[in-house]
Amino acid sequence: MRARPYKEQFDRYKAVLDNLIITDYLHFEFYVNGERVHEVCVGELVAGVVTSYDSEFARLVELLRDFCVYGGQTIKSAQRYQTLYEYYRCTESN
């Protein structure tokens, strides 16, 4: 996840999505309003074998619960609408 071949796409997501998780299924980064607020690693891949960090699963569950109950975004300005419109238009063309 550290080397992001899709940096431009990731930056667009952060710009328009108030609540976002980026993951490689072992490492999770949680973003709120474009800022990384939490990260958790539940394991690592070494020589083709996944080693789990069992102590981190409870934390991941709590962060996922918080993510799921997030209130969402409300479009209150024409500028915000335009940003979202451009994002979705760009996403559909890819």
Side-chain angles (χ1 to χ4, degrees), residues 2-3 5 7 10 24-25 28-29 33 36 50 52 60 85:
R2 295 292 173 219
K7 183 178 180 341
F10 176 69
D24 63 3
Y25 304 104
F28 295 77
E29 294 180 354
N33 298 319
R36 186 172 63 207
V50 174
S52 68
L60 176 60
Y85 174 78

Side-chain angles (χ1 to χ4, degrees), residues 1-7 10 21-31 36 38-41:
M1 282 182 34
R2 295 292 173 219
R4 287 191 166 81
Y6 302 105
K7 183 178 180 341
F10 176 69
I21 300 173
I22 301 295
T23 184
D24 63 3
Y25 304 104
L26 293 175
H27 184 261
F28 295 77
E29 294 180 354
F30 293 79
Y31 291 81
R36 186 172 63 207
H38 300 287
E39 59 182 301
V40 63
C41 185

Side-chain angles (χ1 to χ4, degrees), residues 40 42 53-65:
V40 63
V42 295
Y53 302 145
D54 296 341
S55 63
E56 293 296 305
F57 282 99
R59 183 168 175 245
L60 176 60
V61 168
E62 283 302 312
L63 291 170
L64 289 170
R65 282 187 184 136

